Amino acid sequence: MIFDLSFLNLELEAADKREISRELLSHPAFRAIADHEANLQRSVWDEESFRTRFAAAATEEPEEWSDWGLAPLFHDRAKLEDMKHWIETEQEALSKKIDEWLAKFTDVPQRAELRCVPYVGSYDAGFSPNVGSGAIYLNLPVLSCKESFLETLVHESYHARMVCEETSLRCKKIEESTDPIIHLLYFTFEEGIADFIGHHGSMSTQYPVIPLRTPEEGSEELKQLLQCYKQGELTAQDVFNSFGQSDCCYTGGVYIANCIWEKLGTAGLELWSSQGDLKAYYEAFRSTPQGADWPELEL
């Protein structure tokens, strides 16, 4: 794994000088974050908006809504510098640790050139553009400690795993589907396994990044949504809309992953991780005691 600190360095330099460089604004990470925000239908991240939020962040008491998560560049420098130094000096050890961590749960390898880009800004802990992408991005201020950093790094590294061409095409086809239920299951399975692995093979963590309900609560809501769809009480789009306003992709997803792991181990998770087989993975869950009463879906 390659730890690319160039964008973080440019942000820290800008905070020191109170001046945003052209190099920062043209950096590939700037565009990647902008695209991520746009995909989530959030406020526009461009040069003008960044300059506005940067100025707000530099004030003594920035408002959360106006600083765009940039305030730590000015007001929490010690933590950022400490994390940066740790990453710089422990790159080889971190890469080895992440590889061994992932290998406990999936046989899918990591890309040798996988690039981890730490940054400051927005409010997500991190992201990877798509399954099998060559880069992951981690928002340092959101991560409370080194263990939180590692768990999030594993989570995003799972998303960026090196799937085969057949699986990559299958995932791309799923992403391009117009069926909301397909999209719902895609997000649930992908985020659920990423959380499960990031939590060391558990449904929860001591270092939560965002507040979530229990896996049992999330999975129960997800089951009810799918049952309402199956019974014709809600349209597929209505179900997806409700799903998108909940934490079901994480809480329901990690519950499903845990159930499959308990019965089938790595082979069960690989139905999605390696093969990208939506139907097989869902049916594997329905074969568990916890999934037996979940609705049968035409996938």
Side-chain angles (χ1 to χ4, degrees):
M1 182 180 294
I2 301 166
F3 290 89
D4 181 353
L5 297 164
S6 59
F7 186 69
L8 176 63
N9 286 334
L10 290 169
E11 288 188 294
L12 291 169
E13 179 185 297
D16 283 337
K17 296 181 177 180
R18 296 298 200 271
E19 181 180 344
I20 301 170
S21 68
R22 179 54 53 186
E23 188 178 1
L24 185 155
L25 297 171
S26 62
H27 195 285
F30 189 90
R31 172 46 49 196
I33 298 169
D35 290 343
H36 175 67
E37 296 291 292
N39 288 337
L40 294 174
Q41 298 182 338
R42 293 176 177 165
S43 301
V44 174
W45 173 294
D46 58 14
E47 178 176 343
E48 180 181 357
S49 61
F50 187 85
R51 289 186 183 280
T52 299
R53 306 300 177 97
F54 185 85
T59 63
E60 289 300 321
E61 297 182 1
E63 296 288 342
E64 181 178 335
W65 62 268
S66 65
D67 68 48
W68 222 345
L70 298 172
L73 289 168
F74 302 92
H75 308 297
D76 201 7
R77 285 295 291 260
K79 176 186 174 182
L80 292 177
E81 295 288 359
D82 178 64
M83 290 289 283
K84 176 190 167 186
H85 177 72
W86 175 59
I87 295 168
E88 284 178 323
T89 56
E90 298 293 329
Q91 292 192 43
E92 185 175 345
L94 289 173
S95 295
K96 182 179 180 181
K97 184 179 183 69
I98 299 311
D99 287 343
E100 292 175 349
W101 191 332
L102 286 159
K104 295 177 182 178
F105 303 98
T106 178
D107 295 327
V108 183
Q110 290 291 293
R111 296 179 181 275
E113 72 281 9
L114 178 62
R115 187 174 299 275
C116 174
V117 183
Y119 69 97
V120 176
S122 78
Y123 303 101
D124 287 340
F127 65 94
S128 182
N130 49 56
V131 173
S133 71
I136 58 180
Y137 301 83
L138 296 184
N139 189 3
L140 291 188
V142 177
L143 308 174
S144 60
C145 58
K146 292 176 181 177
E147 187 60 37
S148 178
F149 174 90
L150 288 172
E151 290 187 357
T152 306
L153 179 55
V154 169
H155 178 114
E156 299 302 337
S157 294
Y158 172 79
H159 289 322
R161 63 195 182 280
M162 192 171 68
V163 294
C164 67
E165 183 178 357
E166 181 181 355
T167 299
S168 179
L169 291 173
R170 186 175 292 127
C171 288
K172 188 174 186 298
K173 183 178 180 181
I174 290 172
E175 291 171 357
E176 294 174 348
S177 172
T178 58
D179 185 345
I181 301 300
I182 294 293
H183 286 180
L184 178 155
L185 294 177
Y186 171 82
F187 291 128
T188 299
F189 298 166
E190 184 67 22
E191 295 295 344
I193 299 179
D195 258 7
F196 180 74
I197 296 176
H199 297 164
H200 301 271
S202 173
M203 290 193 292
S204 60
T205 174
Q206 297 180 55
Y207 313 98
V209 174
I210 57 175
L212 297 171
R213 293 176 299 167
T214 66
E216 291 77 13
E217 290 172 319
S219 62
E220 183 60 29
E221 180 180 357
L222 181 58
K223 179 173 73 171
Q224 290 177 0
L225 285 172
L226 292 175
Q227 286 175 335
C228 287
Y229 165 71
K230 179 69 175 180
Q231 295 166 3
E233 297 171 7
L234 290 173
T235 67
Q237 190 60 54
D238 287 338
V239 168
F240 186 80
N241 291 344
S242 295
F243 167 83
Q245 295 171 14
S246 73
D247 60 10
C248 287
C249 70
Y250 300 108
T251 51
V254 77
Y255 180 88
I256 290 171
N258 183 69
C259 293
I260 291 176
W261 173 262
E262 287 181 343
K263 180 176 181 180
L264 301 171
T266 300
L269 298 184
E270 292 291 73
L271 293 172
W272 177 255
S273 301
S274 175
Q275 301 172 34
D277 193 329
L278 207 73
K279 180 178 177 62
Y281 187 74
Y282 183 65
E283 289 305 316
F285 171 60
R286 292 186 68 243
S287 74
T288 69
Q290 301 92 330
D293 62 343
W294 282 54
E296 181 178 357
L297 301 174
E298 296 181 8
L299 302 172

